[in-house]
Amino acid sequence: MPEAAREQASLKSRVDRELERFVRAESEALLALDDELAPLVDVLTTVTARGKRLRSAFCYWGWRAAGQPDSDAMVRAAASMELVHAAAVVHDDIIDDSGLRHGLPTAHVALREAFLDGSRPKARARSLAMLAGDLLMAWAGQMFAGCGLPAAYLGQARDLWAVLARELIAGEALEILHTGGTSDVRRSLKVIRYKTAKYTVEHPLHIGAGLAGADPALREVFSDYGLPLGEAFQLRDDLIGLFGDPATTGKPNTDDISGGRPTALLALTQQAAGPAERRELTALLGRRTLTCPQLSRVRAVVEGTGARDRVESMITERVTLAVRALGGAGLPDLAHRSLTRLATAATSRPD
């Protein structure tokens, strides 16, 4: 196994362990308040227990790219990025009313079990899930602040955390505001940039580099790498969301259609579709349930307009731009190779 691959596998295991320790300790503190909080604890444990740990990897390699050595404290700081992601996932699933993620019930669905004997189980479960997402974001800040790095280091990243939170919420808000509206590729790409690209790649890199006291020029390199790569990551997710196999992806492939979400894939499809195809799409977008023939028809229109191929090209273009941005930056060799490998790992097709 190449050194960069070994490093990434080791880093993921370390992040998993740090998250498990932190969540277990915080869960025990919750249960000490009242054991009736067990359903909340179960959900918090579930939503933090899995993932590729991409965001923590980008944060860690932002630190290492600035010339800093390996550090357990930095691994803990990087692991806090996964709690930001878990919070975003819980809130996103509530907003989209998604039922499955990773093949398991989403938080607001799983929590209905706690209210089977009471009134309004769905509404109360959604409320409890919303609180779970809020707590996860608070945990992220707590884990970061308590990671063990010197206060002077943490102070260098404080403003970057504020930017991450602001832009993540802005992206979610823009998606809500544009859902069900007229398709617009430029607007869809803006939602991608703020909802996903920045908090997945650019912000974790900036925070890692900020902790290391990196020169502003390195942050510029990370923006040139992180923004196109983050956009490619979401474009791949949009393709998987429509064309992926639910048995592999762990979630329905009708969510974007049923939710009428303003994805770039659907915007490109509507832009290139003829009048009859556009009417078909308009009739199907936003339907809460889609039959297999209806889903097949949407896929056929997307492919027939060339939108699927165009998104594949956009992914390739953006990954190329990202990797090219690393060249000539003078990064340590292992950091350069690891970030190059992550660019592929974040945007590859599922097996």
Side-chain angles (χ1 to χ4, degrees):
M1 182 185 292
E3 184 182 7
R6 289 198 305 273
E7 285 279 346
Q8 183 53 30
S10 172
L11 176 61
K12 182 181 182 302
S13 295
R14 294 168 71 189
V15 167
D16 285 342
R17 287 195 298 272
E18 293 295 347
L19 285 169
E20 194 276 332
R21 288 191 195 108
F22 180 90
V23 172
R24 183 177 65 247
E26 288 300 314
S27 296
E28 289 172 356
L30 278 172
L31 291 173
L33 297 176
D34 197 309
D35 58 13
E36 288 191 17
L37 292 170
L40 176 62
V41 165
D42 289 344
V43 159
L44 291 165
T45 302
T46 298
V47 300
T48 56
R50 65 182 56 81
K52 295 179 180 178
R53 310 311 192 195
L54 290 173
R55 293 156 187 85
S56 52
F58 286 121
C59 188
Y60 175 83
W61 288 110
W63 164 271
R64 294 294 301 275
Q68 293 284 2
D70 179 48
S71 158
D72 288 339
M74 183 58 213
V75 172
R76 284 189 288 275
S80 70
M81 298 292 105
E82 301 302 332
L83 295 175
V84 174
H85 177 52
V89 163
V90 170
H91 285 150
D92 203 39
D93 287 340
I94 295 170
I95 292 166
D96 295 336
D97 198 22
S98 297
L100 283 176
R101 188 175 286 269
H102 300 302
L104 296 172
T106 51
H108 66 281
V109 173
L111 283 166
R112 291 175 192 171
E113 294 289 329
F115 302 107
L116 291 180
D117 296 331
S119 62
R120 302 172 56 247
K122 290 184 179 180
R124 293 166 72 194
R126 288 173 68 89
S127 297
L128 195 53
M130 180 177 65
L131 294 175
D134 292 346
L135 182 56
L136 285 163
M137 187 61 85
W139 277 2
Q142 179 184 337
M143 187 176 192
F144 183 81
C147 69
L149 287 173
Y153 284 47
L154 296 174
Q156 295 177 122
R158 185 178 296 113
D159 290 346
L160 298 171
W161 263 88
V163 174
L164 181 155
R166 179 189 311 127
E167 294 188 346
L168 173 57
I169 297 303
E172 288 279 8
L174 286 171
E175 183 176 64
I176 293 168
L177 290 167
H178 296 156
T179 293
T182 303
S183 292
D184 182 287
V185 176
R186 180 191 59 79
R187 195 163 56 193
S188 295
L189 289 173
K190 187 171 186 178
V191 169
I192 282 175
R193 173 163 290 202
Y194 286 99
K195 182 190 172 189
T196 303
K198 283 176 165 280
Y199 103 90
T200 297
V201 186
E202 185 196 36
H203 289 317
L205 283 165
H206 280 182
I207 288 171
L211 287 168
D215 187 279
L218 182 58
R219 285 199 223 161
E220 291 182 18
V221 170
F222 284 160
S223 289
D224 291 342
Y225 166 87
L227 288 174
L229 180 57
E231 290 177 3
F233 171 84
Q234 184 57 50
L235 289 168
R236 172 63 65 205
D237 196 60
D238 291 345
L239 285 175
I240 293 170
L242 181 59
F243 292 99
D245 179 0
T248 301
T249 65
K251 59 183 179 180
N253 48 23
T254 57
D255 277 1
D256 287 346
I257 306 302
S258 297
R261 296 174 192 164
T263 67
L265 177 64
L266 293 176
L268 285 165
T269 301
Q270 292 187 315
Q271 185 180 75
E277 292 172 323
R278 200 173 292 121
R279 284 194 296 272
E280 280 188 275
L281 285 174
T282 300
L284 293 172
L285 288 174
R287 287 197 179 191
R288 295 310 302 165
T289 58
L290 285 177
T291 65
C292 288
Q294 287 171 333
L295 176 60
S296 296
R297 182 56 189 153
V298 172
R299 287 171 165 171
V301 173
V302 171
E303 293 192 289
T305 60
R308 183 178 187 178
D309 289 339
R310 177 60 187 131
V311 170
E312 286 285 3
S313 296
M314 291 167 71
I315 292 169
T316 300
E317 291 163 5
R318 282 161 170 75
V319 172
T320 300
L321 282 174
V323 172
R324 187 182 300 154
L326 299 176
L331 304 184
D333 185 59
L334 182 57
H336 191 161
R337 284 186 281 117
S338 295
L339 289 171
T340 301
R341 181 180 177 81
L342 279 169
T344 301
T347 57
S348 60
R349 296 181 180 89
D351 294 333

